[in-house]
Amino acid sequence: MTSSIPVVGTGPAGAGTLQAVFLDLDGTLVDTEGFWWEAEAEVFAGLGHILDDTHREVVVGGPMTRSAGYLIQATGVDITLTELSVLLNAAFLARIARGVPLMPGAGRLLAELAAHDVPTALVSASHRAVVDQMLHSLGPEHFALTLAGDDLPRTKPHPDPYLTAAERLGAAPEWCAVIEDTVTGVTAGEAAGCRVVAVPSVTRIPPGPGRTVVTSLEEVDLPFLRTLITESRGGVHRACSAESAEN
């Protein structure tokens, strides 16, 4: 699976409408956040440390380097970040090798976007090996490109993954929709200037400017996303026009 080559025949629509949709992976499209926690608990048990649930909210949704670094510091375990990342990825890959459950509404949404030729990117903080494994459950044909956490120097909460996805699809970030399940991902999407739909999975995500919070992907479809884009960007254009008229 390549991470940067768009699907032949797709391309963003013109300005004034939805140009692309960017989707997170863990907890957004696939129900695997519990898998990660199980993998972390298993690895640390093997290292002689029992993880309690107070750590779970800290590590959920974050990139591997941040989560692993935090757990090393919190437990004082004698292991390097690289060594721990290898163990965590191996434990997680073993769990998803048998397939992963999709979140409610995920399959229908991906099929709808594909049917209407909406350029769609999978943007994850997980490692490339994990992303490629889970694509077997999602269907790689649904994505014009995929970006993993180790494909770029900086991943979420930095805006780089979403800015890169927009650039490679030839889309303007402000005309793109991001769908995320964690504060880390929402922060990245908003920093990139995209319109963000938050679908909280484990931790609460409060409403905010330019952010729409829903309870499930079953509430999200193509008309919904198009309306979010046209209304949010239309409001910006109306405000700019009013300001110009006053000057």
Side-chain angles (χ1 to χ4, degrees):
M1 168 59 62
T2 58
S3 63
S4 61
I5 301 177
V7 171
V8 175
T10 64
T17 187
L18 178 69
Q19 294 185 2
V21 176
F22 306 142
L23 295 126
D24 175 52
L25 181 58
D26 295 293
T28 300
L29 288 176
V30 292
D31 189 7
T32 55
E33 292 295 1
F35 287 21
W36 274 114
W37 178 245
E38 290 170 3
E40 288 159 348
E42 174 190 305
V43 168
F44 273 85
L47 295 171
H49 295 269
I50 303 301
L51 297 181
D52 60 62
D53 284 343
T54 58
H55 300 302
R56 187 170 185 173
E57 289 193 5
V58 179
V59 301
V60 66
M64 170 69 73
T65 51
R66 191 194 73 184
S67 298
Y70 164 79
L71 290 172
I72 289 173
Q73 183 177 25
T75 62
V77 66
D78 184 17
I79 193 171
T80 67
L81 182 61
T82 299
E83 291 169 339
L84 179 58
S85 295
V86 170
L87 292 177
L88 291 175
N89 271 317
F92 185 74
L93 283 168
R95 280 169 167 73
I96 65 174
R98 297 183 295 273
V100 293
L102 302 190
M103 298 296 285
R108 186 264 316 151
L109 177 59
L110 290 175
E112 182 181 10
L113 295 173
H116 290 84
D117 294 323
V118 178
T120 303
L122 181 64
V123 183
S124 175
S126 295
H127 282 201
R128 170 53 57 187
V130 171
V131 171
D132 287 347
Q133 177 65 46
M134 285 200 269
L135 279 171
H136 294 302
S137 297
L138 290 168
E141 70 276 5
H142 289 120
F143 304 101
L145 67 88
T146 66
L147 284 173
D150 49 347
D151 288 340
L152 299 172
R154 300 196 309 179
T155 187
K156 307 170 190 178
H158 298 288
D160 306 31
Y162 287 117
L163 291 174
T164 300
E167 180 183 8
R168 292 182 181 178
L169 288 180
E174 62 269 25
W175 296 103
C176 298
V178 164
I179 303 178
E180 279 277 2
D181 74 304
T182 65
V183 172
T184 299
V186 166
T187 299
E190 290 176 345
C194 302
R195 189 68 163 88
V196 175
V197 178
V199 193
S201 60
V202 177
T203 58
R204 179 179 175 272
I205 300 177
R211 178 189 310 170
T212 300
V213 182
V214 299
T215 59
S216 167
L217 285 181
E218 293 182 320
E219 300 176 42
V220 181
D221 57 17
L222 184 52
F224 173 85
L225 294 173
R226 283 175 170 162
T227 297
L228 287 181
I229 291 292
T230 54
E231 287 185 350
S232 64
R233 302 314 306 170
V236 170
H237 292 322
R238 286 193 295 272
C240 291
S241 297
E243 183 179 347
S244 297
E246 292 173 359
N247 294 334

